[in-house]
Structure formats: structure tokens, C-alpha cells
Amino acid sequence: MASLWRAVMGDNTTPSTDDYDGVEFWVNPERTGWLTKQGEYIKTWRRRWFVLKQGKLFWFKEANLSRGSKPRGVVPVANCLTVKGAEDVLNKQFAFELSTRSDTMYFIADSEEKKEEWINSIGRSIVQHSRSVTRDEILDYDNDSRK
């Protein structure tokens, strides 16, 4: 199965600093925490530190982040379609999935509360960063000067 990264970005490389779009993931993230993530090629489960900031979901081996930290991966959530519980799919407690048109990533949180917090945060980020219309393109019909 192709990685979510390649599915989203159409790229076979690991993330580079260009992929961060200037996001300072080490400063004031929207959400951080440990999640267990299913591996890309060998389907083992690995515990990773996740950071959600400015429409990007980063993951790292360690929780101590600095400017020099290198993510193990990054997903632009604007390209994601759904985030939802996946206990029934994986038969694992506190599981959830993040899907694009072509791929799905699976995660396991430490509790039901943490799972719901991640689903809500990622869902909000998907909505905020996937708008097809910019604020400048919205027509205010109440104050339309074209009348």
C-alpha cells in the first residue's frame, strides 16, 4: 500500500523542510501527544509523538522538539477527506483513521478521551484548511454594490 504521504503529495521522498511550509511545529502547536501509528510497509505498530499545527500533522520519534527536529512524516490535512473512529475496522480499542481519496492511516490513542480529542482537532483542521473559497471570494449579498 502506498504511504499516505505519497498519496497526498505524489512523492516518493521523505519530507523535507519545504514540506513544512514554514510551520514552526516546535512552538505553540494546536495539539500534541503520543499516538501509536501503523507502519507504512511492515504493518507493525509504533508509538510516535504527533504535532498538529497550521493544517499539518507531523510525527516524530521523540517528544522533545526544537528547531532542528526532523519529522518522521507530515500529512497536509487539507488533502484528507475523513477522520473517524476505527475500532470496528482494526478490532483495537481507541483506534481511529485518517483517509484521503487513495489511502488510510490508522492510529491508536491512549484513551477514549484522547481519541475523541484527536478526531475533533484533526476534523476542525481539515475544515479550516480545505476551504475551496477564500474570504475575498465570498460575496456579501446584503451589501452587494452591483445591485
Side-chain angles (χ1 to χ4, degrees):
M1 178 168 82
S3 76
L4 187 59
W5 172 254
R6 285 195 309 272
V8 170
M9 301 305 290
D11 187 350
N12 288 327
T13 61
T14 56
S16 72
T17 53
D18 294 340
D19 302 321
Y20 312 159
D21 288 335
V23 177
E24 295 180 344
F25 50 76
W26 60 94
V27 180
N28 301 323
E30 295 155 31
R31 173 158 305 284
T32 62
W34 290 104
L35 294 170
T36 303
K37 176 188 163 306
Q38 191 174 45
E40 179 181 344
Y41 301 110
I42 301 172
K43 299 300 179 188
T44 56
W45 292 92
R46 296 186 188 228
R47 196 159 166 82
R48 297 289 186 234
W49 182 255
F50 281 80
V51 173
L52 178 64
K53 185 167 181 186
Q54 293 177 286
K56 305 231 185 260
L57 182 64
F58 300 91
W59 61 95
F60 303 84
K61 279 189 173 183
E62 305 289 330
N64 298 329
L65 301 182
S66 68
R67 183 181 300 272
S69 297
K70 300 286 184 218
R72 302 288 294 169
V74 58
V75 175
V77 298
N79 297 344
C80 296
L81 301 175
T82 62
V83 57
K84 61 185 179 181
E87 286 98 341
D88 53 340
V89 175
L90 296 176
N91 201 25
K92 293 186 181 287
Q93 198 174 25
F94 317 134
F96 66 98
E97 65 183 53
L98 180 61
S99 300
T100 67
R101 282 188 171 89
S102 60
D103 206 359
T104 301
M105 288 179 73
Y106 294 102
F107 306 91
I108 301 172
D110 291 340
S111 68
E112 182 67 22
E113 179 184 6
K114 295 288 184 196
K115 179 190 91 169
E116 291 301 322
E117 289 172 355
W118 275 106
I119 288 174
N120 290 336
S121 294
I122 293 169
R124 245 186 332 271
S125 190
I126 289 171
V127 170
Q128 290 170 350
H129 293 91
S130 64
R131 296 206 171 132
S132 58
V133 192
T134 67
R135 291 183 205 269
D136 294 337
E137 295 172 317
I138 297 172
L139 182 60
D140 182 353
Y141 287 101
D142 292 331
N143 297 312
D144 189 356
S145 61
R146 297 179 302 164
K147 293 180 185 175

